[in-house]
Amino acid sequence: MRFLRALARLLAAITLVGCLARLAPTRLSALPLLPVIVSATPWYALTGALALALCLACRIAGGGTRGQGGKRPLRGVAVLMLVCLALEATWQLPFYSRALTHATATHTDTQKAGSLRVMTCNVYKGNADAARIVKLVREEGVRVLALQETTSEFVDQLEANGISDLLPYSQRSSSDGVYGNGVWSATPLSDVESDDVGSSASAMPAGIVQVTSSDGVTTVPVRFVSVHTTAPVDEYLDLWRKSILEIGVVRDRAAADPSRRYVLMGDFNATYDHAPFRAMLGDSLHDAARIAGEGITLTWPQNRRLLPPFCGIDHVVVSDGVGARDLRTYKVEGTDHAALVCTLDL
């Protein structure tokens, strides 16, 4: 019994720290270890539920008797876990809205007017399997592709595997001349930029794709941006926060000109639970995973033998007027990120 009480308190402490970290405002988001703690936020629902179950088990096993000092054993812990679980439900249930309404997703109509299949993947300094990337583009009917951490050698491998036959138009850029980001499209890109954000982290290329709207007649200009922010490692924590908030310039453009749609795809190095990510979204940008409502997309890490994917730091972010569905992840050998594929609806 003593062991169960100790375990309940330990799990409760983990849950409480995790929830408090999630509640930290943007100005405190770059404190040491805080981004790592926040990245595991959905899992604190599990630790909280286990802690609560152990509290109840100890109470039942003790026959409801008072503990030492005349106090009910673990009652305060149980109350705290109920509060934490309520917070977790508020934060995570929107990702499962489609499942909660018993709706189903399908990608059989991804080529209809107003729909566009897109994909993003961080290729881990050009080490990803280029043939797998091209195969996914072909099999999933991807019309716009965003890649991060590319190298010239990796782009050559894409070409050798036929990327130009599927997505002949591209805009690529690099901040350091070695690793870069890029956008590939099945239709011409216009108004291209090598860095659409002016980011402190990396050059984020962009271009406009004309997408036929749902009426099948008119076209809507959609600006695609390939995103890669700084990772939240100790010496770059402030730059991590800054590089995410800088993307807010796109949010402001979207708010100023609702006639133009924006889609940002890539490695944001942050989950929806991170305060800078939510601040960057504001009211004009939206995480496609929450729109799709098909569950949390766990994209990282993908190459650790003893550590399964536990957080979603890769995103498709859209502005008002763009819907999202059928969001899936695919493993790609050679990279620590999953490929993220999604259908967008205009």
Side-chain angles (χ1 to χ4, degrees), residues 107 117-122 132-133 135-137 139-142 297-300 302 309 314 326-333 335-343:
H107 69 286
R117 195 76 164 152
V118 301
M119 171 176 157
T120 183
C121 186
N122 180 319
R132 170 67 168 161
I133 295 287
K135 183 180 180 181
L136 282 172
V137 169
E139 293 180 347
E140 289 291 320
V142 171
T297 52
L298 304 178
T299 62
W300 187 90
Q302 293 285 333
D314 301 88
D326 194 27
L327 192 148
R328 304 180 179 187
T329 59
Y330 293 91
K331 184 172 178 60
V332 177
E333 294 298 330
T335 176
D336 54 346
H337 290 255
L340 191 60
V341 183
C342 180
T343 297

Side-chain angles (χ1 to χ4, degrees), residues 36-250:
V36 177
I37 296 172
V38 174
S39 66
T41 293
W43 298 101
Y44 301 132
L46 177 59
T47 58
L50 289 174
L52 181 60
L54 287 172
C55 290
L56 295 176
C58 290
R59 179 176 177 81
I60 293 171
T65 58
R66 295 180 181 274
Q68 293 180 354
K71 297 180 180 179
R72 293 289 186 183
L74 302 177
R75 175 178 288 178
V77 174
V79 171
L80 275 176
M81 290 305 95
L82 286 173
V83 173
C84 289
L85 289 174
L87 288 172
E88 284 285 348
T90 301
W91 297 332
Q92 309 307 329
L93 286 183
F95 286 98
Y96 296 89
S97 59
R98 185 179 295 271
L100 293 173
T101 57
H102 306 289
T104 57
T106 175
H107 69 286
T108 58
D109 56 355
T110 56
Q111 300 304 324
K112 72 177 184 180
S115 294
L116 192 71
R117 195 76 164 152
V118 301
M119 171 176 157
T120 183
C121 186
N122 180 319
V123 299
Y124 195 41
K125 299 181 179 180
N127 289 304
D129 184 346
R132 170 67 168 161
I133 295 287
V134 176
K135 183 180 180 181
L136 282 172
V137 169
R138 181 181 297 107
E139 293 180 347
E140 289 291 320
V142 171
R143 304 289 288 175
V144 180
L145 169 70
L147 298 178
Q148 301 82 45
E149 289 194 22
T150 61
T151 62
S152 57
E153 292 81 5
F154 180 80
V155 174
D156 290 342
Q157 294 173 27
L158 290 176
E159 295 289 344
N161 282 278
I163 193 67
S164 292
D165 297 332
L166 304 169
L167 307 175
Y169 305 95
S170 65
Q171 174 64 26
R172 306 187 302 273
S173 59
S174 173
S175 297
D176 60 8
V178 180
Y179 304 114
N181 307 315
V183 177
W184 283 256
S185 173
T187 55
L189 290 166
S190 62
D191 193 18
V192 295
E193 290 286 348
S194 60
D195 186 3
D196 207 46
V197 174
S199 172
S200 303
S202 65
M204 302 185 188
I208 291 177
V209 174
Q210 295 293 333
V211 182
T212 304
S213 63
S214 57
D215 62 15
V217 178
T218 58
T219 59
V220 179
V222 182
R223 189 163 188 81
F224 286 87
V225 186
S226 182
V227 171
H228 190 201
T229 65
T230 302
V233 293
D234 290 344
E235 61 268 33
Y236 295 115
L237 284 173
D238 287 330
L239 183 57
W240 165 77
R241 177 177 55 192
K242 180 182 179 182
S243 66
I244 296 171
L245 294 176
E246 285 172 339
I247 303 171
V249 301
V250 179

Side-chain angles (χ1 to χ4, degrees), residues 297-315:
T297 52
L298 304 178
T299 62
W300 187 90
Q302 293 285 333
N303 62 346
R304 309 291 175 86
R305 180 174 298 179
L306 300 178
L307 183 64
F310 70 90
C311 65
I313 60 175
D314 301 88
H315 303 270

